[in-house]
Amino acid sequence: MSSNVQWKLCWENELERSDHSELNEFFKKTYGPTGAFHTKPFEGGRSWAGARPERRAIGYDSRGIASHMGLLRRFIKVGETDLAVAELGLYGVRPDLERMGIGHSVSALFPTLQELGVPFAFGTVRHAMRSHVERYARTGMLSVLTGVSVRSTLPDFHPYMPPIRTEDLLVLVIPIGRTMSEWPSGTLIERNGPEL
């Protein structure tokens, strides 16, 4: 990502209506090419898809929002172990900057992750993103775990759908206050809430 990207690290309650509108447009344009279904959560002007972030890292350049990553502290259960994490999600890079962003987004958030005192940052991505995240994993900053199912609640209640879903996802783990060898073993992660 170009060095002229300026990062805004903010709490969710620091965002103005105009920020949410700009983020809404960014997500619709960024997620739209992967299918209309992926833009559905942003109908009505929302700037979040599932759980609402606690903090955001928003990268701006001369054309507007260039990149985004959200963060939410929560407890997950890995196997039989309850674990405090900072969940990372709502990742997006403007299409003209693709292949240049996840590392910059995480790097921008890293001081915030350390400040929060969580042992790990955690996120999930679809298998279609494997080559993208594995490229970043080569830096040694994160590990990509496979063979792990993640159970989450749906962000909204629908009487015709089950309230939870279990997915086979790639799990991303970034050691913050502990080492990767201290990540609990287990083939099921209970998110106990909607994904970020």
Side-chain angles (χ1 to χ4, degrees):
M1 187 172 294
S2 161
S3 61
N4 64 355
V5 171
Q6 300 296 311
W7 289 93
K8 174 182 177 179
L9 300 172
C10 59
W11 289 94
E12 186 70 1
N13 63 0
E14 294 173 337
L15 295 175
E16 301 291 333
R17 184 179 306 239
S18 60
D19 295 315
H20 287 290
S21 294
E22 191 176 8
L23 285 163
N24 175 268
E25 288 302 313
F26 168 77
F27 287 125
K28 288 193 293 190
K29 288 177 184 170
T30 302
Y31 294 165
T34 64
F37 174 79
H38 295 116
T39 63
K40 262 193 158 337
F42 305 104
E43 290 176 356
R46 284 177 36 158
S47 67
W48 61 95
R52 195 163 174 172
E54 176 181 358
R55 288 193 181 181
R56 297 180 188 244
I58 308 168
Y60 294 90
D61 66 8
S62 61
R63 294 183 55 203
I65 297 177
S67 183
H68 178 277
M69 183 159 308
L71 175 155
L72 175 66
R73 286 177 286 189
R74 68 179 348 152
F75 278 90
I76 61 173
K77 191 170 191 173
V78 182
E80 296 300 316
T81 305
D82 285 328
L83 185 64
V85 296
E87 182 171 354
L88 302 177
L90 271 181
Y91 168 68
V93 173
R94 202 173 58 225
D96 63 300
L97 298 173
E98 283 179 5
R99 302 180 60 99
M100 305 166 119
I102 194 168
H104 292 276
S105 299
V106 172
S107 295
L109 267 175
F110 201 76
T112 300
L113 292 168
Q114 290 177 312
E115 174 190 314
L116 294 175
V118 293
F120 299 98
F122 148 86
T124 58
V125 296
R126 309 297 182 259
H127 285 272
M129 296 282 294
R130 185 180 194 126
S131 63
H132 186 65
V133 295
E134 284 182 342
R135 229 183 350 264
Y136 181 59
R138 280 184 241 150
T139 66
M141 194 171 189
L142 72 79
S143 294
V144 179
L145 308 179
T146 58
V148 179
S149 297
V150 180
R151 189 169 17 219
S152 311
T153 61
L154 296 179
D156 300 304
F157 176 77
H158 302 284
Y160 51 88
M161 294 176 69
I164 51 177
R165 70 173 165 227
T166 303
E167 299 175 283
D168 172 29
L169 300 167
L170 296 175
V171 174
L172 313 179
V173 179
I174 302 170
I176 306 296
R178 293 190 192 165
T179 64
M180 193 60 207
S181 64
E182 296 175 90
W183 178 262
S185 63
T187 58
L188 177 67
I189 295 176
E190 296 275 0
R191 189 179 259 131
N192 196 30
E195 71 179 303
L196 182 61

